[in-house]
């Protein structure tokens, strides 16, 4: 399923309550998108371009493609997740300057393995893991 756009309100509330124990400041993926790339060199090039954009301030990168990253944390899901701020005059004027967005950089070969229910399984797993 696509992740582009705005996270549904009920899912945002559920995530704040179950995953972040009520701390709404930790919810960073209200505005999100996924870029699907053909291979690792393309993904690295995309990330490099993001870091060179003066209007983009990268706040966090999770490399869930790394062999050191445990797939147990994401129910096997793999990508490079970037939290960023867009710092432009338009963002300043609209009051969105402090907003942090999520961009998922995913490999086409991995996305081809997803099934219609895989994201729902991940979401349920993530919520269950948080309640422990």
């Amino acid at each position: 399923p696509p992740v582009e756009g705005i996270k549904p309100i009920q899912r945002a509330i559920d995530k704040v309550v179950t995953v972040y124990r009520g701390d709404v400041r930790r919810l960073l993926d209200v505005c999100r998108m996924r870029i699907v790339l053909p291979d690792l060199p393309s993904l690295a090039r995309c990330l490099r371009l993001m870091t060179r954009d003066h209007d983009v301030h990268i706040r966090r990168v999770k490399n869930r493609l790394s062999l050191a990253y445990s797939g147990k944390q994401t129910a096997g899901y793999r990508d490079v997740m970037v939290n960023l701020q867009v710092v432009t005059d338009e963002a300043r004027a609209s009051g969105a300057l402090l907003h942090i967005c999520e961009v998922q950089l995913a490999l086409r070969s991995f996305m081809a393995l997803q099934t219609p229910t895989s994201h729902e399984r991940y979401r349920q797993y993530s919520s269950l893991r948080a309640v422990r």
Side-chain angles (χ1 to χ4, degrees), residues 46-123:
C46 182
L47 185 57
R48 205 169 28 257
L49 288 170
M50 291 169 75
T51 64
R52 292 178 181 163
D53 187 331
H54 297 292
D55 292 337
V56 172
H57 293 194
I58 294 181
R59 297 300 177 206
R60 178 176 68 173
V61 175
K62 279 189 184 178
N63 182 1
R64 297 188 283 214
L65 292 174
S66 167
L67 295 176
Y69 194 85
S70 171
K72 290 179 181 179
Q73 297 175 23
T74 57
Y77 182 78
R78 299 284 183 164
D79 66 5
V80 174
M81 188 274 299
V82 181
N83 289 123
L84 57 84
Q85 287 175 285
V86 177
V87 182
T88 62
D89 290 338
E90 292 85 2
R92 208 171 272 106
S94 68
L97 193 60
L98 297 178
H99 183 73
I100 298 176
C101 308
E102 177 178 291
V103 178
Q104 297 173 2
L105 305 178
L107 294 173
R108 183 181 303 140
S109 57
F110 181 83
M111 297 308 298
L113 298 174
Q114 281 196 320
T115 65
T117 59
S118 58
H119 181 72
E120 180 59 24
R121 278 196 317 272
Y122 163 72
R123 194 180 69 72

